[in-house]
Amino acid sequence: MTTATAGGADAVPPADKRPPGRSERPDPTSPSRSVTGTRKIIATLFLLPALVLLGALVVYPIVYSVYRSFFDQAGTGFAGLDNYKALFTDDTIRTAVKNNAIWVVFAPTISTALGLIFAVLTERIRWGTAFKLIVFMPMAISMLAAGIIFRLVYDQAPERGVANAVWVGVHDTFVESAGYPKAHPLPVHPLKAGGGGSFVTKAPVRAGVPVRLPLVGVAPAKMPTDAEPAKAAPTESGKVTGTAWLDFTKGGGGKPNVVDAKELGLKGLKVEAVKDGKVVGSATAAADGTFTLPASAEGALLRLPASNFREPYNGVDWLGPSLVTPGIIGSYVWMWAGFAMVLIAAGLAGLPRELLEAARVDGANEWQVFRRITVPLLAPVLAVVLVTLMINVLKIFDLVFIIAPGSSQDDANVLALQLYRSSFGTDADLGIGSAIAVLLLLLVIPVMIFNIRRIRKEGRR
């Protein structure tokens, strides 16, 4: 009898004599290994430093803040929910909550809308990349630098603040500004106060007798650049003539009520002749200060209207109580619209072009394509941008702290700024500060849950 050969069909090599190069595959269900074959104990050791840091820098502060929020200012007495009640009864904190709501509603929405508009419009122009670079550039600037920039932009003085310089320029284009806001007569002058900021002559005027209307109180540097040396008005039969000038000689030496050679005419000054409360004639002083009134001015009092002396238009108080929050939101949009534009442009580049072209072939105009196809397809990207900016504005601090002046900082207050003000300083109340921190955490959690669900939903597709 012969035995079965080693190469028989039923032959099985011993376990210790398997062919070289064929190792035993790990069992993925083994409790000591993960799905990737990595031992769980090794993975845990690598993650342990990160977990320790996460616990020390995130978990512990959160737990301690919740704990501290139930104690009083000194931290020795249990306050219960008193600190949380203060969040909704203290006027300063309620203003911060209201302003945070304004920030969450408007800042992310405007930034995302502008980013969408920029991304769509720059897709069709040759210099779109350069435009995107310029719009995105503010993102490279820190919040501190941006705050300083916009503190100057919103400066009340038009010679420093860009916003007011533009606003005043537009205003003065349509509304004539006053020329001599601080001009006034001296007691020895033939003028007296006429009420409402105007000035009138002390005696009626006569035709053929030149009238002198001297004023002081205008700095020579503030005089019109085209003003000429004042001249005595000529005599005209049947008419009232006169001179309005700055009765001030630079360097001294001039005489009151006398037109001296170095004194300038008050160009553009309006003069009215008034009889029985009615204006019977008016004139405007020339560059040398001379003016002529018709014969109807005979026996009238000359009046310099208050419009000659009103304060010049100084623009808008951008950092005042009513506009400080919209102004700061504008600076935030300036910084973050570029961020929104870049993300949306990346999503726009991945849209299936055949759908857009098919809609155009079917007769849809560009607005319909944008509203019914582009925006719905970009909805996931728009959600990412919107949620990211919402989380960002909930903890806005730098811009508000730097841009808002001390006089209106309470009106621009937000929760993060109030958290800082309540937690530091001589009157610090860590109980209130901790309660504000917990409130901020509670406001962020719903947004984060929405974001996590959205990410999981996208992952299942």
Side-chain angles (χ1 to χ4, degrees):
M1 287 191 64
T2 59
T3 59
T5 61
D10 298 329
V12 179
D16 56 347
K17 294 183 179 181
R18 291 183 179 179
R22 298 181 62 185
S23 60
E24 181 180 1
R25 295 182 178 180
D27 184 5
T29 61
S30 174
S32 61
R33 292 179 180 271
S34 65
V35 176
T36 60
T38 306
R39 293 183 180 275
K40 292 184 178 180
I41 185 67
I42 296 176
T44 303
L45 290 175
F46 274 102
L47 291 175
L48 188 60
L51 293 175
V52 171
L53 286 175
L54 186 66
L57 300 179
V58 178
V59 178
Y60 172 75
I62 291 176
V63 174
Y64 183 76
S65 295
V66 174
Y67 167 80
R68 184 65 179 83
S69 67
F70 293 104
F71 286 82
D72 58 12
Q73 182 176 4
T76 56
F78 185 74
L81 297 177
D82 291 346
N83 292 327
Y84 290 96
K85 292 178 181 177
L87 299 183
F88 302 99
T89 55
D90 184 88
D91 290 338
T92 303
I93 302 178
R94 288 170 61 185
T95 300
V97 174
K98 181 193 72 174
N99 286 338
N100 255 105
I102 294 173
W103 271 89
V104 170
V105 171
F106 290 101
T109 304
I110 296 174
S111 299
T112 304
L114 284 178
L116 176 61
I117 293 172
F118 290 157
V120 172
L121 294 182
T122 55
E123 190 184 30
R124 298 192 175 189
I125 55 178
R126 289 182 297 177
W127 43 273
T129 302
F131 180 83
K132 290 177 182 178
L133 178 63
I134 294 173
V135 175
F136 186 75
M137 197 175 296
M139 281 294 299
I141 303 175
S142 68
M143 287 283 195
L144 173 64
I148 295 173
I149 290 172
F150 274 87
R151 181 66 180 267
L152 295 174
V153 168
Y154 291 136
D155 195 289
Q156 180 68 31
E159 60 269 17
R160 291 194 302 270
V162 176
N164 260 348
V166 174
W167 192 269
V168 171
V170 174
H171 174 273
D172 290 348
T173 301
F174 299 98
V175 180
E176 186 178 358
S177 60
Y180 310 100
K182 297 186 182 298
H184 61 276
L186 292 175
V188 297
H189 287 161
L191 289 167
K192 63 180 182 179
S198 66
F199 299 102
V200 298
T201 55
K202 296 177 181 178
V205 296
R206 301 297 177 187
V209 180
V211 183
R212 295 176 181 179
L213 302 178
L215 294 173
V216 295
V218 183
K222 297 292 184 180
M223 291 290 289
T225 55
D226 54 350
E228 299 177 359
K231 295 180 181 179
T235 301
E236 294 188 25
S237 178
K239 294 184 179 180
V240 176
T241 60
T243 303
W245 81 99
L246 179 64
D247 195 13
F248 172 81
T249 302
K250 191 174 181 180
K255 297 180 180 180
N257 291 332
V258 176
V259 179
D260 296 303
K262 294 182 180 180
E263 295 174 347
L264 298 176
L266 296 173
K267 180 186 177 182
L269 191 75
K270 296 180 180 178
V271 182
E272 296 176 344
V274 181
K275 281 184 180 180
D276 300 325
K278 296 181 180 180
V279 177
V280 295
S282 63
T284 301
D288 59 2
T290 58
F291 60 88
T292 302
L293 290 166
S296 56
E298 170 73 25
L301 293 176
L302 296 191
R303 180 175 65 186
L304 303 180
S307 59
N308 290 312
F309 313 110
R310 67 173 181 268
E311 290 293 329
Y313 182 69
N314 204 34
V316 178
D317 188 7
W318 297 102
L319 298 181
S322 58
L323 291 178
V324 62
T325 295
I328 300 175
I329 291 177
S331 67
Y332 179 89
V333 171
W334 175 77
M335 289 190 67
W336 288 88
F339 167 81
M341 178 195 65
V342 170
L343 291 187
I344 295 172
L348 194 62
L351 293 184
R353 300 295 168 178
E354 58 272 13
L355 292 179
L356 304 179
E357 295 302 326
R360 294 188 181 101
V361 170
D362 289 342
N365 57 37
E366 292 301 322
W367 169 246
Q368 291 173 328
V369 172
F370 172 78
R371 184 166 59 92
R372 296 183 179 274
I373 298 179
T374 303
V375 173
L377 290 177
L378 284 176
V381 179
L382 296 177
V384 170
V385 175
L386 199 60
V387 171
T388 302
L389 295 181
M390 288 177 65
I391 295 175
N392 186 268
V393 300
L394 278 172
K395 51 189 179 66
I396 192 70
F397 168 80
D398 317 63
L399 290 177
V400 180
F401 183 73
I402 297 168
I403 296 178
S407 59
S408 60
Q409 197 170 85
D410 286 343
D411 299 285
N413 199 15
V414 290
L415 285 174
L417 178 59
Q418 185 60 38
L419 170 61
Y420 169 79
R421 294 167 68 177
S422 297
S423 301
F424 302 96
T426 55
D427 297 328
D429 189 338
L430 293 181
I432 295 291
S434 299
I436 296 174
V438 174
L439 176 61
L440 273 174
L441 176 64
L442 294 177
L443 293 175
V444 171
I445 286 177
V447 182
M448 294 184 64
I449 292 175
F450 170 80
N451 207 22
I452 292 172
R453 288 183 176 179
R454 183 195 55 78
I455 292 174
R456 289 179 177 177
K457 185 177 179 180
E458 290 293 326
R460 295 192 193 103
R461 292 182 179 179

Short mmCIF file of all heavy atoms in Angstrom, two decimals, residues 176-180 224 226-227 244 265-271 283-290 305 307-308:
data_model
loop_
_atom_site.label_atom_id
_atom_site.label_comp_id
_atom_site.label_asym_id
_atom_site.label_seq_id
_atom_site.Cartn_x
_atom_site.Cartn_y
_atom_site.Cartn_z
N GLU A 176 -25.72 124.80 0.86
CA GLU A 176 -24.65 125.77 1.04
C GLU A 176 -24.33 125.93 2.52
O GLU A 176 -25.21 126.07 3.35
CB GLU A 176 -25.07 127.12 0.46
CG GLU A 176 -23.97 128.16 0.46
CD GLU A 176 -24.42 129.46 -0.18
OE1 GLU A 176 -25.58 129.52 -0.64
OE2 GLU A 176 -23.63 130.41 -0.21
N SER A 177 -23.05 125.86 2.84
CA SER A 177 -22.64 125.98 4.23
C SER A 177 -22.41 127.44 4.60
O SER A 177 -22.15 128.28 3.74
CB SER A 177 -21.35 125.18 4.47
OG SER A 177 -20.30 125.68 3.64
N ALA A 178 -22.50 127.72 5.89
CA ALA A 178 -22.28 129.09 6.37
C ALA A 178 -20.81 129.46 6.24
O ALA A 178 -19.92 128.61 6.39
CB ALA A 178 -22.71 129.21 7.83
N GLY A 179 -20.56 130.76 5.97
CA GLY A 179 -19.19 131.17 5.76
C GLY A 179 -18.47 131.66 7.01
O GLY A 179 -17.27 131.49 7.14
N TYR A 180 -19.21 132.24 7.97
CA TYR A 180 -18.57 132.90 9.10
C TYR A 180 -19.28 132.52 10.40
O TYR A 180 -20.03 133.32 10.97
CB TYR A 180 -18.58 134.41 8.90
CG TYR A 180 -18.05 134.81 7.54
CD1 TYR A 180 -18.92 135.12 6.49
CD2 TYR A 180 -16.68 134.84 7.29
CE1 TYR A 180 -18.43 135.46 5.25
CE2 TYR A 180 -16.18 135.17 6.04
CZ TYR A 180 -17.06 135.48 5.02
OH TYR A 180 -16.57 135.81 3.78
N PRO A 224 -12.27 133.08 3.30
CA PRO A 224 -12.23 132.49 1.95
C PRO A 224 -10.90 132.81 1.26
O PRO A 224 -10.36 133.92 1.39
CB PRO A 224 -13.41 133.16 1.24
CG PRO A 224 -14.33 133.58 2.35
CD PRO A 224 -13.46 133.93 3.50
N ASP A 226 -10.34 133.33 -1.77
CA ASP A 226 -10.46 134.34 -2.82
C ASP A 226 -10.96 135.69 -2.29
O ASP A 226 -11.36 136.55 -3.07
CB ASP A 226 -11.37 133.85 -3.94
CG ASP A 226 -12.74 133.40 -3.42
OD1 ASP A 226 -12.90 133.31 -2.19
OD2 ASP A 226 -13.62 133.14 -4.26
N ALA A 227 -10.96 135.87 -0.97
CA ALA A 227 -11.36 137.16 -0.40
C ALA A 227 -10.30 138.21 -0.75
O ALA A 227 -9.09 137.93 -0.72
CB ALA A 227 -11.52 137.05 1.11
N ALA A 244 -19.02 145.19 3.88
CA ALA A 244 -18.97 144.25 5.01
C ALA A 244 -17.57 143.67 5.03
O ALA A 244 -17.13 143.04 4.05
CB ALA A 244 -20.02 143.16 4.86
N GLY A 265 -12.45 141.73 2.81
CA GLY A 265 -13.90 141.76 2.69
C GLY A 265 -14.53 140.43 3.03
O GLY A 265 -13.92 139.36 2.84
N LEU A 266 -15.73 140.44 3.56
CA LEU A 266 -16.45 139.22 3.93
C LEU A 266 -17.25 138.72 2.72
O LEU A 266 -18.46 138.96 2.60
CB LEU A 266 -17.37 139.49 5.12
CG LEU A 266 -16.65 139.88 6.42
CD1 LEU A 266 -17.66 140.29 7.49
CD2 LEU A 266 -15.79 138.72 6.92
N LYS A 267 -16.55 138.06 1.83
CA LYS A 267 -17.18 137.61 0.60
C LYS A 267 -18.33 136.65 0.89
O LYS A 267 -18.21 135.74 1.70
CB LYS A 267 -16.15 136.92 -0.30
CG LYS A 267 -16.74 136.43 -1.60
CD LYS A 267 -15.74 135.64 -2.42
CE LYS A 267 -16.41 135.10 -3.68
NZ LYS A 267 -15.49 134.28 -4.49
N GLY A 268 -19.44 136.83 0.18
CA GLY A 268 -20.58 135.94 0.30
C GLY A 268 -21.51 136.25 1.45
O GLY A 268 -22.53 135.57 1.63
N LEU A 269 -21.21 137.26 2.27
CA LEU A 269 -22.08 137.61 3.38
C LEU A 269 -23.41 138.15 2.85
O LEU A 269 -23.45 139.02 1.98
CB LEU A 269 -21.41 138.67 4.26
CG LEU A 269 -22.08 138.95 5.60
CD1 LEU A 269 -21.78 137.81 6.58
CD2 LEU A 269 -21.61 140.28 6.18
N LYS A 270 -24.51 137.62 3.37
CA LYS A 270 -25.84 138.04 2.92
C LYS A 270 -26.33 139.23 3.74
O LYS A 270 -26.23 139.22 4.97
CB LYS A 270 -26.83 136.88 3.03
CG LYS A 270 -26.49 135.71 2.11
CD LYS A 270 -27.49 134.58 2.26
CE LYS A 270 -27.13 133.42 1.34
NZ LYS A 270 -28.06 132.27 1.50
N VAL A 271 -26.87 140.21 3.05
CA VAL A 271 -27.38 141.43 3.69
C VAL A 271 -28.82 141.63 3.26
O VAL A 271 -29.14 141.54 2.06
CB VAL A 271 -26.54 142.66 3.31
CG1 VAL A 271 -27.05 143.91 4.03
CG2 VAL A 271 -25.06 142.43 3.61
N ALA A 283 -28.86 141.51 -0.76
CA ALA A 283 -27.65 141.54 -1.58
C ALA A 283 -26.62 140.62 -0.95
O ALA A 283 -26.74 140.21 0.22
CB ALA A 283 -27.11 142.96 -1.69
N THR A 284 -25.62 140.29 -1.74
CA THR A 284 -24.51 139.44 -1.28
C THR A 284 -23.21 140.20 -1.48
O THR A 284 -22.97 140.76 -2.56
CB THR A 284 -24.47 138.11 -2.04
OG1 THR A 284 -25.72 137.43 -1.85
CG2 THR A 284 -23.35 137.22 -1.54
N ALA A 285 -22.36 140.22 -0.46
CA ALA A 285 -21.11 140.96 -0.51
C ALA A 285 -20.17 140.34 -1.54
O ALA A 285 -20.06 139.12 -1.65
CB ALA A 285 -20.46 140.99 0.86
N ALA A 286 -19.48 141.18 -2.27
CA ALA A 286 -18.50 140.74 -3.25
C ALA A 286 -17.20 140.35 -2.54
O ALA A 286 -17.10 140.38 -1.31
CB ALA A 286 -18.25 141.84 -4.27
N ALA A 287 -16.19 139.98 -3.35
CA ALA A 287 -14.92 139.55 -2.77
C ALA A 287 -14.28 140.64 -1.94
O ALA A 287 -13.57 140.36 -0.96
CB ALA A 287 -13.98 139.09 -3.88
N ASP A 288 -14.49 141.91 -2.28
CA ASP A 288 -13.93 143.01 -1.51
C ASP A 288 -14.89 143.53 -0.44
O ASP A 288 -14.65 144.55 0.18
CB ASP A 288 -13.51 144.15 -2.43
CG ASP A 288 -14.67 144.69 -3.26
OD1 ASP A 288 -15.82 144.20 -3.08
OD2 ASP A 288 -14.45 145.59 -4.09
N GLY A 289 -16.02 142.82 -0.24
CA GLY A 289 -16.97 143.16 0.81
C GLY A 289 -18.03 144.15 0.41
O GLY A 289 -18.95 144.41 1.20
N THR A 290 -17.98 144.73 -0.78
CA THR A 290 -18.97 145.74 -1.17
C THR A 290 -20.28 145.09 -1.59
O THR A 290 -20.30 143.95 -2.08
CB THR A 290 -18.43 146.60 -2.31
OG1 THR A 290 -18.11 145.75 -3.43
CG2 THR A 290 -17.18 147.36 -1.88
N PRO A 305 -28.53 138.00 8.25
CA PRO A 305 -29.29 136.83 8.71
C PRO A 305 -28.43 135.84 9.49
O PRO A 305 -27.20 135.76 9.31
CB PRO A 305 -29.81 136.22 7.41
CG PRO A 305 -29.71 137.30 6.40
CD PRO A 305 -28.55 138.14 6.79
N SER A 307 -28.24 132.83 9.04
CA SER A 307 -27.65 131.82 8.17
C SER A 307 -26.19 132.11 7.86
O SER A 307 -25.44 131.21 7.48
CB SER A 307 -28.45 131.72 6.86
OG SER A 307 -28.46 132.98 6.19
N ASN A 308 -25.77 133.36 8.02
CA ASN A 308 -24.36 133.70 7.81
C ASN A 308 -23.46 133.15 8.91
O ASN A 308 -22.26 132.98 8.70
CB ASN A 308 -24.17 135.23 7.78
CG ASN A 308 -24.75 135.88 6.54
OD1 ASN A 308 -24.51 135.43 5.42
ND2 ASN A 308 -25.54 136.94 6.74
#
